[in-house]
């Protein structure tokens, strides 16, 4: 997609490809209107199918050519609509921009857009939601929000470094967070990418068995 191609082209010039941290999989944002269970499941399956298609496409795939040729699909948890939650959003308009560390020397300029409060698996949780300063200036992505998180599956069923979610700024004070759309940063697939490190404040104390699973280490070599 547009972000993948643009990011790869620009950053290759400086011999560092930045992780495509949020502009790949959010074109069809979760809808706020009420949908039934079968429609939710179909949306999740569509997300998985589209993500697999992008990984097979040489123009958008983070996989090295030798790995992409044999790529048959990512490993996903089964769709689970209990991981689709409606969160209360507390905006933080006075938040000061900061530099989020990455797995390389590069830093990503972010600002905390708001705090999401939601109930999941018998507990209340809070997660910080960020707005990437660079993307705020790019047409079509002015309302993009970035939600990285950790959970108790990391290093086991899922990537040790945590996963990402793409969101859009809602009109009201609530937004849908669908963990079935959680995906791995690009550095989970290819060491040439530089990806933001998930802040510890966004560590959930529950396992999130939804979204993309870990990519086999043997497939990267």
């Amino acid at each position: 997609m547009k972000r993948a191609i643009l990011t790869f082209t620009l950053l290759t010039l400086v011999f560092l490809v930045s992780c495509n941290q949020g502009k790949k999989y959010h074109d069809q944002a979760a809808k706020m209107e009420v949908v039934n269970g079968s429609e939710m499941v179909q949306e999740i399956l569509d997300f998985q199918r589209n993500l697999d298609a992008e990984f097979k496409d040489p123009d958008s795939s983070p996989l090295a050519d030798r790995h992409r040729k044999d790529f048959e699909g990512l490993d996903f948890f089964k769709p689970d609509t209990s991981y689709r939650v409606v969160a209360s959003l507390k905006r933080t308009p006075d938040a000061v921009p900061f530099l989020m560390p990455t797995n390389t020397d590069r830093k990503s300029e972010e600002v905390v857009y708001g705090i999401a409060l939601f109930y999941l698996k018998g507990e209340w949780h809070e997660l910080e939601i960020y707005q990437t300063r660079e993307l705020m200036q790019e047409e079509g992505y002015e309302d993009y929000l970035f939600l990285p998180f950790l959970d108790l599956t990391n290093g086991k069923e899922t990537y040790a470094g945590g996963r990402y979610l793409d969101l859009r700024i809602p009109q009201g004070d609530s937004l849908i967070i669908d963990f079935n759309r959680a995906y791995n940063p690009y550095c989970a697939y290819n060491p040439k990418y530089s990806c933001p490190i998930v802040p510890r404040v966004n560590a959930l104390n529950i396992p999130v068995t939804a979204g993309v699973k870990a990519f086999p280490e043997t497939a990267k070599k």
Side-chain angles (χ1 to χ4, degrees):
M1 295 177 69
K2 172 186 173 185
R3 173 62 173 170
I5 298 172
L6 179 61
T7 300
F8 184 86
T9 301
L10 292 177
L11 294 182
T12 298
L13 297 177
V14 294
F15 303 99
L16 175 64
V17 182
S18 174
C19 181
N20 193 335
Q21 66 176 31
K23 301 186 63 177
K24 288 235 14 113
Y25 317 129
H26 70 289
D27 289 347
Q28 296 181 3
K31 300 176 182 179
M32 288 299 293
E33 65 263 23
V34 176
V35 293
N36 62 40
S38 61
E39 290 176 326
M40 290 182 189
V41 170
Q42 187 58 55
E43 287 182 359
I44 296 166
L45 293 174
D46 288 343
F47 164 80
Q48 295 178 355
R49 183 166 50 254
N50 291 337
L51 190 51
D52 278 342
E54 292 194 11
F55 270 64
K56 293 176 183 177
D57 186 341
D59 291 330
S60 57
S61 178
L63 300 175
D65 288 344
R66 63 183 183 279
H67 299 146
R68 182 177 47 77
K69 291 177 181 178
D70 298 325
F71 176 77
E72 296 182 355
L74 295 170
D75 193 8
F76 297 93
F77 287 102
K78 292 182 179 180
D80 186 343
T81 58
S82 69
Y83 282 103
R84 177 183 167 114
V85 300
V86 178
S88 173
L89 177 64
K90 180 181 179 182
R91 288 174 170 81
T92 53
D94 298 325
V96 177
F98 68 99
L99 296 178
M100 183 178 288
T102 70
N103 61 308
T104 66
D105 293 335
R106 185 183 69 89
K107 296 185 183 299
S108 177
E109 187 175 7
E110 309 282 342
V111 64
V112 179
Y113 180 83
I115 309 296
L117 174 66
F118 57 93
Y119 192 74
L120 178 62
K121 300 302 177 182
E123 299 180 39
W124 286 98
H125 307 275
E126 286 188 357
L127 290 175
E128 290 186 349
I129 298 178
Y130 307 100
Q131 192 167 29
T132 306
R133 301 283 287 181
E134 178 185 2
L135 300 189
M136 292 170 63
Q137 311 302 319
E138 189 170 332
E139 184 178 357
Y141 295 96
E142 300 89 346
D143 64 344
Y144 164 73
L145 297 176
F146 173 47
L147 175 53
F149 71 95
L150 299 163
D151 71 271
L152 297 184
T153 68
N154 299 151
K156 302 171 185 177
E157 299 102 321
T158 64
Y159 177 57
R163 292 176 290 170
Y164 298 165
L165 281 166
D166 300 333
L167 301 171
R168 294 280 192 171
I169 295 176
Q171 293 183 350
D173 295 325
S174 63
L175 76 166
I176 289 177
I177 299 176
D178 190 348
F179 288 98
N180 291 282
R181 294 170 176 259
Y183 63 91
N184 295 324
Y186 270 18
C187 52
Y189 305 100
N190 194 323
K192 74 179 181 181
Y193 288 96
S194 172
C195 304
I197 296 173
V198 181
R200 294 301 306 177
V201 69
N202 271 14
L204 296 171
N205 61 351
I206 60 170
V208 177
T209 54
V212 179
K213 293 184 180 181
F215 191 66
E217 289 294 329
T218 54
K220 306 177 192 178
K221 298 177 181 179

